[in-house]
Amino acid sequence: MSSLFSSLKMMTKGAMRCVLITNHLKFFETIGNFQLLQVTVRDALNQAMDEELERDERVFLLGEEVAQYDGAYKVSRGLWKKYGDKRIIDTPISEMGFAGIAVGAAMAGLRPICEFMTFNFSMQAIDQVINSAAKTCYMSAGLQAVPIVFRGPNGASAGVAAQHSQCFAAWYGHCPGLKVVSPWNSEDARGLLKSAIRDDNPVVVLENELMYGVAFEVSEQGLSKDFTIPIGKAKVERPGNHVTLVSHSRMVGHCLDAAAVLAKEGIECEVINLRTIRPLDVETIEASVVKTNHLITVEGGWPQFGVGAEICARIMEGPAFNYLDAPVIRVTGVDIPMPYAKILEDNSTPQIKDIIFSVKKTLNM
Amino acid sequence: YENLMTVLKNISIVFNLLLCTHPFKKCELHRLDQGPPTQALLTREQGLKYYRTMQTMRRMELKADQLYKQKIIRGFCHLYDGQEACAVGIEAGINPSDHLITAYRAHGYTYTRGVSVKEILAELTGRRGGVAKGKGGSMHMYAKHFYGGNGIVGAQVPLGAGLALACQYKGNNEVCVTLYGDGAANQGQIFESFNMAALWKLPCIFICENNKYGMGTSVERASASTDYFKRGDFIPGLKVDGMDVLTVREATKFAADYCRSGKGPILMELETYRYHGHSMSDPGVSYRTREEIQEVRSKSDPISMLKDRMISNNMASLEEIKEIDVEIRKEIEEAAQFATSDPEPPLEELCNHIFYNEPPMEVRGTNPWSKLKSIS
């Protein structure tokens, strides 16, 4: 650490304002006048929860292994030590029970964060998420709010096979009364989770286990305690003219990688990070299609009735349809339960080459 | 002469104020050394209040029956007549600041928790004057510290444990009454709730309203153990005569004190009976005999029992009771008038209240050109 500081002292450009982030500091670099910190998605989620727990005493976290184990994937590391039994609650293995308890607590005015160890286990509790949480504000004509967050890892991991690899974006994205977000990088994770916790409505936060350990640069603004990302707004991660790639979660990274390869051949992809599944930001996609005339959706989940299918339908129903030079293409996970063997698993979700292939197909190359 | 009149007046006041100390069946206990008191004090004022409330509920449910047969109420309608002593006794044993949640047979509790008959009937008929503006219907009525009205059998039990967790979290000395039926008693999520409530000592009063039938299935055909008050295993329990409003009140008070003292959850089984079938689609006689229903009506009707007790103890006269009945009839008629004449909710409000505290948004209608407005 001391050598790092001395080397930084030697940098002269701009004013240096130090931003201390507890013990999750990796390293920081100055680029011009801007401070950028490398933060993993895991730490971003951890910081977001820490800050919201501190900000509002009604916020608490419950789930399996969230307290004394520091979280099955260490996302809640250190929180129990800091906030104690009252605010960080270890539950028995009772998804339906504790999800219902969380919803009841939200109805009484607390602001619970209910963690599912993975969203596969949320199927045990899905009635509480949909029938008790999502529908209640409407059924009560606005008398009863349910300010709850359901979060946890979603979609494929590595080698965990069929029962632990399902993507629930389409299932939860189907239901009115729910908001569904799917962060990709650390800034997404921080901003969306904070927004979710501050939202007075049920929000499903679909994280990704393979992304937890990945570090991203986060700006100082992105590290501030009140940094939130609006739910329902997509982000153009990379501008381009020839084709629009729309994706969410881990696949955004794949799209950017594919775009980098294609750029060498002179094909400029515009990459859109949905950030929110429901409500879907169709306007951003439409504006892009008007510019590029070609659209490809990329998701990890299954094709039938999925996120890509919805985007296709919405584009067809809107003004952007007339700007399409080719049908919308969906790049999705293979329509099978997830296999175990590495070679099979690797070929069950979209790879960068699949995206490149689809781009060239739609551009007739 | 005036002195004499004053004296006579005072005697009659004393006579009216006092009571009935009422001995009732001892409750069967599970993991409890002692149960609720076996005697209760009932003042005239309380007696008249319980009578009025139960009779109002009874007439309200019968009016709902009538409106349903006239097809003015549609869909689900699960009536509570016969079980009035449960709702009224429970409400008498807790504070308005306590919390209560039940399943779909909820009209009675909606009333005891403070919603007017007018708003209940208008919700059943789906009008804008209904407590949920016509959006919820029979099973989804809400009020302050009353969380419905829940359609999914058993789902309300974890919700109730969560409400109790909030009470404990806030440290406000409030308790949550969480009701479910003999049919729901076999739901897995109820046992998950028992486990967590006991583990964390949540101030939750679990109450099983055992009316002997889960839809068309009698308790013997549904449960390996019909001792519902024991099904909480490690949670202490008591079995209570649910047809006697005073017994229910005393048992509820006992249970509430237990929870408030920080000892954790407690389970009450209320033995009760419903005169109607499971819902309005169920005549209720294919799985039980008319004789059985008639026997309960004549021997154990909660309203008749209270009335008889009050009259035989000179706490109220027959004329007084009749007068109350007339008033109630009038109130129900007026409420029904409102419920049948109030307009339906305006179509413009179709998409409102999807979210709470949310800026206005657009909602897709039945076709792509139909863009509807939603405000919260």
Side-chain angles (χ1 to χ4, degrees):
Chain A
M1 270 306 272
S2 56
S3 59
L4 188 64
F5 269 107
S6 52
S7 63
L8 284 166
K9 264 189 225 162
M10 296 199 294
M11 296 191 191
T12 52
K13 283 261 164 75
M16 294 228 318
R17 281 161 298 154
C18 214
V19 179
L20 274 171
I21 303 290
T22 60
N23 56 343
H24 304 301
L25 194 66
K26 295 282 174 175
F27 66 92
F28 63 92
E29 54 187 80
T30 7
I31 295 177
N33 279 333
F34 300 102
Q35 290 272 297
L36 289 169
L37 227 99
Q38 287 273 329
V39 181
T40 62
V41 172
R42 172 184 290 111
D43 291 342
L45 294 166
N46 185 286
Q47 287 161 25
M49 286 198 284
D50 192 350
E51 288 163 12
E52 295 306 301
L53 282 158
E54 195 174 275
R55 174 181 180 269
D56 186 342
E57 61 182 15
R58 298 170 299 174
V59 177
F60 70 99
L61 172 68
L62 88 169
E64 293 156 11
E65 312 298 349
V66 296
Q68 300 190 19
Y69 197 84
D70 271 338
Y73 301 99
K74 307 299 178 214
V75 177
S76 53
R77 175 173 44 209
L79 295 180
W80 176 67
K81 258 219 184 80
K82 184 171 174 186
Y83 293 102
D85 285 330
K86 180 179 167 179
R87 313 232 10 235
I88 313 291
I89 304 176
D90 274 336
T91 64
I93 307 173
S94 313
E95 275 76 7
M96 199 164 184
F98 72 70
I101 283 178
V103 174
M107 287 178 173
L110 297 183
R111 304 187 76 91
I113 306 168
C114 176
E115 178 177 304
F116 291 119
M117 196 182 279
T118 77
F119 267 96
N120 300 284
F121 313 147
S122 75
M123 277 202 282
Q124 307 262 318
I126 201 163
D127 175 67
Q128 296 289 1
V129 178
I130 306 300
N131 280 321
S132 302
K135 296 179 184 173
T136 293
C137 188
Y138 185 85
M139 291 193 295
S140 66
L143 282 176
Q144 181 63 66
V146 187
I148 189 169
V149 173
F150 298 100
R151 53 158 290 272
N154 174 61
S157 181
V160 295
Q163 292 178 341
H164 288 71
S165 306
Q166 188 168 332
C167 175
F168 289 84
W171 283 27
Y172 287 118
H174 187 59
C175 303
L178 271 189
K179 299 186 186 182
V180 182
V181 299
S182 182
W184 164 57
N185 62 12
S186 300
E187 192 169 290
D188 289 354
R190 255 183 80 76
L192 289 172
L193 184 53
K194 282 165 90 72
S195 289
I197 295 169
R198 295 182 191 196
D199 202 305
D200 289 334
N201 297 285
V203 184
V204 170
V205 181
L206 303 171
E207 300 159 7
N208 186 295
E209 201 233 313
L210 295 172
M211 297 304 295
Y212 282 154
V214 181
F216 292 90
E217 281 165 358
V218 183
S219 63
E220 194 186 321
Q221 190 218 2
L223 292 167
S224 89
K225 285 205 168 143
D226 280 316
F227 172 72
T228 56
I229 289 177
I231 294 177
K233 207 78 194 71
K235 182 180 178 203
V236 179
E237 297 285 350
R238 182 194 192 282
N241 286 316
H242 300 128
V243 60
T244 303
L245 302 176
V246 181
S247 187
H248 72 99
S249 191
R250 186 156 173 269
M251 292 294 138
V252 175
H254 281 30
C255 289
L256 288 169
D257 291 343
V261 172
L262 288 162
K264 296 198 186 110
E265 296 179 49
I267 302 170
E268 294 299 327
C269 303
E270 180 146 293
V271 177
I272 298 179
N273 173 6
L274 280 175
R275 286 178 157 181
T276 300
I277 303 292
R278 183 179 181 111
L280 198 63
D281 183 1
V282 191
E283 284 82 36
T284 300
I285 306 174
E286 281 172 340
S288 180
V289 169
V290 164
K291 190 169 69 170
T292 67
N293 312 121
H294 298 83
L295 178 58
I296 298 179
T297 68
V298 184
E299 68 195 288
W302 293 318
Q304 296 196 40
F305 309 96
V307 175
E310 175 66 16
I311 293 173
C312 287
R314 297 274 271 265
I315 291 297
M316 274 215 308
E317 288 178 350
F321 173 70
N322 293 314
Y323 290 83
L324 283 172
D325 286 346
V328 180
I329 291 178
R330 296 177 295 160
V331 176
T332 69
V334 177
D335 203 9
I336 51 171
M338 181 67 70
Y340 167 67
K342 188 161 196 325
I343 187 173
L344 298 180
E345 186 182 57
D346 287 347
N347 283 282
S348 299
T349 53
Q351 300 178 51
I352 295 163
K353 64 175 169 69
D354 298 315
I355 304 172
I356 295 172
F357 175 81
S358 300
V359 168
K360 291 189 170 168
K361 266 284 206 177
T362 196
L363 292 176
N364 269 322
M365 299 170 77
Chain B
Y1 176 68
E2 263 169 36
N3 288 342
L4 181 64
M5 289 313 290
T6 323
V7 168
L8 280 172
K9 242 193 221 151
N10 285 339
I11 291 174
S12 75
I13 286 169
V14 166
F15 206 72
N16 280 336
L17 254 189
L18 241 307
L19 38 99
C20 155
T21 55
H22 153 73
F24 40 69
K25 277 199 292 199
K26 219 176 153 194
C27 301
E28 260 187 83
L29 301 176
H30 170 71
R31 287 189 195 267
L32 282 168
D33 292 323
Q34 63 185 72
T38 47
Q39 289 210 342
L41 212 67
L42 176 73
T43 69
R44 180 181 132 85
E45 195 187 318
Q46 286 169 343
L48 289 175
K49 180 167 142 201
Y50 303 157
Y51 178 85
R52 183 183 283 273
T53 312
M54 288 200 289
Q55 186 69 292
T56 306
M57 280 161 59
R58 174 68 59 90
R59 300 246 64 93
M60 175 179 79
E61 294 294 77
L62 294 179
K63 176 58 71 176
D65 169 281
Q66 201 180 60
L67 292 170
Y68 195 92
K69 287 174 176 149
Q70 295 174 306
K71 297 199 196 303
I72 300 172
I73 296 178
R74 340 166 287 125
F76 288 130
C77 192
H78 307 87
L79 298 178
Y80 197 67
D81 51 314
Q83 300 186 211
E84 294 86 358
C86 295
V88 175
I90 289 170
E91 190 62 32
I94 57 174
N95 304 322
S97 55
D98 289 320
H99 307 261
L100 192 142
I101 189 169
T102 185
Y104 48 78
R105 201 175 301 283
H107 309 158
Y109 290 99
T110 313
Y111 181 67
T112 53
R113 284 264 102 187
V115 180
S116 67
V117 179
K118 199 167 101 165
E119 280 184 293
I120 294 173
L121 288 181
E123 186 61 34
L124 290 175
T125 56
R127 308 300 165 100
R128 64 179 73 179
V131 63
K133 301 193 170 74
K135 294 285 221 10
S138 168
M139 301 188 294
H140 308 296
M141 304 196 203
Y142 302 81
K144 189 156 190 268
H145 292 211
F146 174 60
Y147 305 84
N150 287 276
I152 307 296
V153 174
Q156 77 279 10
V157 178
L159 294 181
L163 294 165
L165 183 125
C167 293
Q168 185 189 66
Y169 190 100
K170 295 184 196 179
N172 53 24
N173 205 36
E174 290 163 9
V175 298
C176 180
V177 175
T178 303
L179 292 133
Y180 60 97
D182 50 279
N186 295 315
Q187 271 270 310
Q189 56 187 318
I190 291 187
F191 296 93
E192 294 188 12
S193 307
F194 285 164
N195 181 41
M196 285 183 271
L199 205 55
W200 301 332
K201 292 198 162 38
L202 301 181
C204 189
I205 306 173
F206 294 104
I207 300 186
C208 177
E209 280 179 294
N210 178 4
N211 60 17
K212 306 201 176 31
Y213 300 93
M215 205 153 149
T217 306
S218 67
V219 291
E220 297 79 37
R221 291 204 306 127
S223 303
S225 160
T226 56
D227 287 329
Y228 295 104
F229 69 108
K230 291 186 186 167
R231 300 279 293 274
D233 189 7
F234 35 77
I235 296 182
L238 57 157
K239 184 157 135 169
V240 175
D241 176 8
M243 301 307 263
D244 180 343
V245 66
L246 283 182
T247 317
V248 177
R249 181 188 80 183
E250 292 308 307
T252 307
K253 272 196 195 148
F254 172 83
D257 286 341
Y258 182 93
C259 285
R260 275 187 241 278
S261 69
K263 296 199 187 95
I266 191 168
L267 203 163
M268 250 165 67
E269 177 187 341
L270 297 180
E271 284 195 294
T272 183
Y273 199 83
R274 53 165 162 83
Y275 295 140
H276 269 85
H278 163 72
S279 72
M280 287 304 297
S281 330
D282 170 27
V285 287
S286 61
Y287 48 86
R288 54 185 189 172
T289 62
R290 285 186 208 274
E291 289 75 47
E292 180 187 285
I293 306 171
Q294 205 27 55
E295 171 138 7
V296 178
R297 246 193 232 282
S298 52
K299 297 217 181 100
S300 321
D301 183 274
I303 301 174
S304 305
M305 290 206 313
L306 180 64
K307 179 172 99 178
D308 293 342
R309 183 177 299 140
M310 288 191 69
I311 289 177
S312 64
N313 281 284
N314 285 315
M315 293 177 76
S317 66
L318 197 56
E319 292 73 45
E320 249 185 309
I321 302 281
K322 285 216 170 102
E323 223 174 88
I324 295 176
D325 286 350
V326 166
E327 280 167 26
I328 291 173
R329 222 174 266 271
K330 181 158 170 280
E331 183 190 342
I332 304 296
E333 271 315 310
E334 279 170 12
Q337 243 309 104
F338 174 76
T340 47
S341 60
D342 199 40
E344 288 189 286
L347 273 182
E348 297 77 60
E349 292 183 16
L350 177 68
C351 299
N352 288 354
H353 307 122
I354 295 175
F355 291 125
Y356 187 83
N357 196 20
E358 183 85 356
M361 58 185 213
E362 205 175 77
V363 171
R364 189 197 200 271
T366 54
N367 62 66
W369 297 274
S370 168
K371 296 188 208 291
L372 306 172
K373 198 152 150 257
S374 169
I375 57 176
S376 75

